[in-house]
Amino acid sequence: QVQLVESGGGLVQAGGSLRLSCAASRSIFSFNIMNWYRQAPGKERELVAVITSGGTTNYADSVRGRFTISRDNAKNTVYLQMNSLKPEDTAVYYCNAVRTGPLGPSPYWGQGTQVTVSS
């Protein structure tokens, strides 16, 4: 069973920065894609950032230019560097990993980490 453990959340003022980490219990090479999602109170979970096994990245328009996703294969960890934070970035942030096999995609989720941005 794969475990994903997020860390790095907290309370920060608007304009500040945080770096989230997602540590996997197995090699992240085994995942085709790793993502960061977020869910604010009363809203649906939304995809924030994506990184493929080849290192290709993509971002939601709302965070593009402010957030950076990266991976450290040696540490089996994916990061989300968040700069110029806004109150609307307040949410629980979840790490997601997807491994595609002969039976289709298998998603794995972390427990989430709270990010609160004060105005």
Side-chain angles (χ1 to χ4, degrees):
Q1 183 71 356
V2 177
Q3 289 188 327
L4 302 175
V5 180
E6 301 102 330
S7 61
L11 174 64
V12 64
Q13 288 188 334
S17 298
L18 284 173
R19 188 177 79 156
L20 306 183
S21 299
C22 171
S25 60
R26 63 182 297 166
S27 171
I28 59 175
F29 277 120
S30 65
F31 301 116
N32 302 89
I33 195 166
M34 297 193 73
N35 309 298
W36 283 98
Y37 283 78
R38 68 184 180 186
Q39 188 167 19
K43 295 188 177 181
E44 293 187 355
R45 191 170 295 190
E46 64 169 337
L47 181 60
V48 173
V50 172
I51 188 165
T52 69
S53 56
T56 301
T57 60
N58 205 357
Y59 300 91
D61 288 342
S62 58
V63 306
R64 193 183 309 274
R66 299 188 297 121
F67 289 12
T68 303
I69 188 171
S70 62
R71 57 193 292 158
D72 185 333
N73 295 325
K75 295 182 178 180
N76 295 326
T77 300
V78 174
Y79 302 98
L80 185 68
Q81 178 67 44
M82 306 186 295
N83 298 329
S84 302
L85 283 162
K86 304 175 182 180
E88 51 263 44
D89 295 319
T90 295
V92 178
Y93 283 71
Y94 296 92
C95 180
N96 165 261
V98 181
R99 182 159 51 100
T100 300
L103 299 180
S106 298
Y108 302 91
W109 292 91
Q111 81 288 349
T113 186
Q114 176 71 46
V115 171
T116 303
V117 184
S118 63
S119 57

